[in-house]
Structures are given as C-alpha cells and as structure tokens.
Amino acid sequence: MTAMTDDTLPVTPRTLRDEMIAFGVMTVLLLIVPFTGVYPFFVMQALCFALLACAFNLLIGYGGLLSFGHAMFLGTAGYITAHALKVWGFTPELGILIGTAGAAGLGVITGLVAIRRQGIYFAMITLALSQLLYFIYLQTPFTHGEDGIQGIPQGYLFGIFNLAKPTVLYYVILAGFLFGFLVIFRTINSPFGEVLKSIRENEQRAISLGYKTDQYKLLAYILSGTLAGFAGSLKVFVAQNASLTDVHWTMSGEIVLMTLVGGLGTVFGPVVGAFVIIAMQQYLAGFGQWVTVIQGVIFVVCVLTFRRGVIGEIAHYFRRSL
C-alpha cells in the first residue's frame, strides 16, 4: 500500500535510482573531506546531528508523529556511553552498544506511554518525559549534574583503530552515520515503511484495512529513538563529554529546526538541515546570543519561501526523489 501526498513521488525504480545516485554523491563528498582542509570536528559534529535529524524525520516525516523529546535519547545514550568508557573502562564498541541499547530501552518505556495519544497530546507527552529525565539527570550523581562527564577516553575501536587520531575518528563517525542512514533508507522503502506512510496519510483507513497502527507507530518510535541514541553515543567520542545540554528541550527544538530547514519527509533533507544549523553555530559563534536570533530569522525565511525545505523544494522543482 502506497500513500501519497501532492509533494510525494511514488516508489518506482526511477525514484530509487535517484536516491541511490544522491547517496553515492554524498558518500564520495564525505569521504574526501579530510583531504579538503575542512575542519574535521565541525563535519563530525554535523554528521552526528545529521543522523539524529534523520532518525527524527523517520518518525515525523514518514509516521506523522511529532516528538518534542528526542533530546532524551541523544542525552541518555551519551551519558551511558560516557560513564561506561570512563568509569567502567569499557571498550569503544561496547560503550556504543550499551549506550544505544539504553536509548532503545528508553524508547520502549516512553513509547508505551506516549503512543496512546495523538497529535499535540503526543508531542506534549514526549516533551514532558524529556524534561522529567532532564531534572533526573540534573540530580543523579553519575551524570555529575551541571558539570557533566568530562575527559572521556576515546580508546581503540576493536583494539585496532586509535580514535585519538582525528582522521581515524572521522572515518569511524562517517561509517556510523552511513550505517544509520542506510537503516533508515531501507526502513522507509520497505513494506513497513509503506504502512507507516499510509498511517500518516489516513490512519482510520489503515485501521479499516486491518493494520494494527499503534504497533507500527510504537516500532517506528523505538527505532527512531534507538538511532537517535546511536548518534548520541557517537557524539561522545567527538566532544569527549556528556552534558545536560544534550537532554534539554532546546536540543529537541534544534532537531525540529534541522529537519524543517532541510526538508520534512525527504531522505536527504535532514542531513542538509543539520549541516546548515551546525555551520551557523560554528561560524557565527562570534555573535554570541545573537546566533539564536539569526537562526530564528533564517527559519522564518525558510518557512515563508521554502515551504518544503531546501531539499524538498529542489526535489519538487526537478520532480526527483531526494
């Protein structure tokens, strides 16, 4: 079953070909970054947030579920991974695994609570759950409160790859991003993804056809939260810290902003949106608090002039699937 809107192209060999070509171009560009002189920390940070935005887009762009609490998955996985690396002495791969598993478990618990409601009620419940976790982490000893967990060792991935070397770390982060991106790409182009799109378009009709929509939405929520947690675990190795900033509601707002600027419901839109927002934070840092104002202005301009987002408008103009 394929659900379509005016801005959605049907899944055909041509659309899949377009998306695979775009994926190949994106991969090549990212592979040559270390040889271009671009600041690697910026790109690694952007890749982590790009994966986070893609995970969020899976939920809202294809499932129609607006979550204002995705920061809790990012922050929870980051805290668990950081604690496992610094205190328990886990290897990087185990730290990432346990952090991602923690986010998946959180997705199951919060999903069972939030998925019973729809629309604005679902969004408000996810926001409330996220803020609840924020205040828990503020008081819990293992997170070190406002100081966060600092000086996290990067170690050797699989005992071979020295993550203290920027180039090695970059390609590890890139591999993690591409893996998560392909998981999302496969999901939205699977029968599960088609049912998810139909629920977004007309849930009552999907129910009448025999689909248990709550189960599909719960699975999408858990998968989205798990991949968001995976991004949070990767981010720990880039920033070498885990802080309350990643759990605060403003982080959830930035995730929404990245997705809308790039293009809601597009495959590559969240990636572009994440790079745009992180680039503004990186290169406009000299403006201090005015960065937030500038982001707000750009967001308003994008909403007024690029209703579908940057990639969404490009895809619509050329009638291509991106």
Side-chain angles (χ1 to χ4, degrees):
M1 178 169 56
T2 302
M4 290 178 60
T5 65
D6 292 339
D7 301 326
T8 304
L9 294 175
V11 178
T12 64
R14 176 187 170 183
T15 62
L16 290 176
R17 183 193 63 197
D18 292 342
E19 291 169 356
M20 292 306 298
I21 291 174
F23 175 76
V25 172
M26 178 185 72
T27 302
V28 171
L29 291 176
L30 291 173
L31 284 172
I32 64 175
V33 163
F35 307 101
T36 61
V38 178
Y39 187 38
F41 177 81
F42 156 69
V43 182
M44 286 188 286
Q45 188 180 22
L47 286 174
C48 293
F49 280 104
L51 177 57
L52 176 61
C54 287
F56 174 75
N57 185 54
L58 171 65
L59 188 64
I60 183 175
Y62 296 93
L65 296 172
L66 173 59
S67 168
F68 277 132
H70 254 51
M72 61 182 169
F73 300 114
L74 177 76
T76 296
Y79 273 129
I80 294 175
T81 299
H83 188 78
L85 293 171
K86 187 172 182 179
V87 179
W88 296 338
F90 280 21
T91 57
E93 61 272 15
L94 289 179
I96 294 173
L97 183 62
I98 192 174
T100 305
L106 180 63
V108 174
I109 296 171
T110 58
L112 289 172
V113 175
I115 213 69
R116 300 179 181 180
R117 296 292 180 265
Q118 298 179 358
I120 190 64
Y121 302 104
F122 173 83
M124 290 299 100
I125 289 174
T126 56
L127 175 61
L129 291 170
S130 180
Q131 282 302 96
L132 174 63
L133 279 177
Y134 171 82
F135 287 109
I136 291 175
Y137 291 150
L138 180 62
Q139 302 295 331
T140 304
F142 94 93
T143 64
H144 301 282
E146 294 182 351
D147 295 330
I149 304 177
Q150 308 289 335
I152 300 167
Q154 294 171 313
Y156 285 79
L157 185 68
F158 302 116
I160 302 174
F161 304 104
N162 184 6
L163 300 183
K165 295 182 178 180
T167 303
V168 174
L169 179 61
Y170 173 80
Y171 282 114
V172 169
I173 298 298
L174 176 58
F177 164 75
L178 293 177
F179 169 76
F181 185 90
L182 287 174
V183 169
I184 295 171
F185 181 78
R186 181 67 186 92
T187 299
I188 62 180
N189 288 291
S190 68
F192 173 81
E194 294 302 311
V195 175
L196 204 59
K197 296 171 192 174
S198 72
I199 294 173
R200 175 196 64 192
E201 297 297 330
N202 193 327
E203 184 172 355
Q204 294 305 316
R205 185 178 180 185
I207 293 174
S208 70
L209 291 173
Y211 292 108
K212 297 180 179 179
T213 57
D214 282 349
Q215 294 183 6
Y216 279 92
K217 291 191 290 186
L218 178 60
L219 288 174
Y221 181 86
I222 295 172
L223 178 58
S224 178
T226 301
L227 291 171
F230 180 53
S233 294
L234 293 177
K235 183 176 175 292
V236 164
F237 294 93
V238 179
Q240 288 189 273
N241 69 73
S243 67
L244 287 170
T245 304
D246 292 339
V247 198
H248 198 258
W249 67 268
T250 54
M251 178 60 70
S252 295
E254 286 191 14
I255 300 169
V256 175
L257 182 61
M258 292 173 186
T259 307
L260 292 179
V261 168
L264 182 67
T266 61
V267 179
F268 298 93
V271 179
V272 174
F275 270 84
V276 170
I277 299 302
I278 297 301
M280 285 194 298
Q281 294 176 349
Q282 182 76 31
Y283 296 105
L284 300 178
F287 290 94
Q289 296 297 324
W290 283 97
V291 173
T292 305
V293 177
I294 296 172
Q295 285 182 347
V297 172
I298 292 176
F299 175 67
V300 171
V301 171
C302 285
V303 169
L304 294 176
T305 59
F306 301 100
R307 183 176 62 86
R308 303 176 183 86
V310 176
I311 295 298
E313 289 292 345
I314 294 174
H316 179 74
Y317 181 80
F318 290 103
R319 299 302 298 168
R320 299 283 182 175
S321 177
L322 296 173

